[in-house]
Amino acid sequence: MQNPYVKYLKTKNGYFYLFYYEHGNIFCRSFSHDGWTVPQKIAEKASPVFSVCQYEAITYLLYSGGEGQLYLASSADFASWEHRPLRNGTSPTDRTRFFLLPSKEAFHIIYHLPTEATGVDSLVYSVFAMGNGKSPIRLTASCR
């Protein structure tokens, strides 16, 4: 079972990767026949909620900086990670839940957007293609 603070990924070569949030950072550890590796810090000053997936030979980590920024980190080897901002904002995203669907042409992101001011939350769909974000589409007017 996965939760917003812990994710796992099993690769075709039999390795098991554990991603977890701890004290403002997102870490990754792998497990193989030799046992667990030392934790590797992937993101700093992050919110506890993140999403991880693998598409072809690349692993993607979608996370929030906690103050409205969304970042996409990618890695082909789980050792070096490239971080790229997807969205800058001013609203806190520490309660936002993400679901990432990568494809060759774009990243499709479905996320829950809590709204403190009105008390009405939204389910939003957004596409990032060729390094540019498209205007988000609200899928629902209210989620509870």
Side-chain angles (χ1 to χ4, degrees), residues 91-92 95 113-122 138 141 144:
S91 60
R95 287 183 33 227
L113 190 61
T115 308
E116 297 282 334
T118 63
V120 177
D121 296 351
S122 299
R138 185 179 296 192
R144 300 226 187 244

Side-chain angles (χ1 to χ4, degrees), residues 2 6 10 21 33 59 68 78 80 110 120 128 133-134:
Q2 296 193 40
V6 177
K10 187 171 181 182
Y21 171 86
H33 58 281
T59 301
F78 292 92
S80 58
I110 299 173
V120 177
F128 291 89
K134 309 289 184 196

Side-chain angles (χ1 to χ4, degrees), residues 64-80:
S64 168
E67 296 181 13
Q69 313 93 340
L70 290 179
Y71 297 96
L72 183 66
S74 60
S75 177
D77 59 6
F78 292 92
S80 58

Side-chain angles (χ1 to χ4, degrees), residues 9 19 51-55 58-62 73 100-102 107:
L9 183 67
F19 294 81
S51 181
V52 65
C53 69
Q54 192 169 43
Y55 180 73
I58 307 293
T59 301
Y60 297 97
L61 174 76
L62 178 68
L100 179 63
L101 301 163
F107 292 95

Side-chain angles (χ1 to χ4, degrees), residues 21-127:
Y21 171 86
E22 185 175 79
H23 304 297
N25 301 303
I26 298 174
F27 295 91
C28 177
R29 298 180 79 175
S30 66
F31 184 81
S32 68
H33 58 281
D34 295 329
W36 286 103
T37 61
V38 175
Q40 177 192 7
K41 188 185 300 183
I42 298 174
E44 296 178 331
K45 298 179 184 175
S47 289
V49 180
F50 60 93
S51 181
V52 65
C53 69
Q54 192 169 43
Y55 180 73
E56 295 183 351
I58 307 293
T59 301
Y60 297 97
L61 174 76
L62 178 68
Y63 66 97
S64 168
E67 296 181 13
Q69 313 93 340
L70 290 179
Y71 297 96
L72 183 66
S74 60
S75 177
D77 59 6
F78 292 92
S80 58
W81 291 82
E82 179 184 326
H83 299 261
R84 168 172 86 187
L86 293 181
R87 176 182 155 243
N88 286 318
T90 56
S91 60
T93 55
D94 58 337
R95 287 183 33 227
T96 302
R97 304 299 186 253
F98 310 104
F99 187 72
L100 179 63
L101 301 163
S103 68
K104 284 187 179 186
E105 296 80 28
F107 292 95
H108 307 270
I109 302 171
I110 299 173
Y111 56 98
H112 164 256
L113 190 61
T115 308
E116 297 282 334
T118 63
V120 177
D121 296 351
S122 299
L123 189 61
V124 180
Y125 170 75
S126 188
V127 176

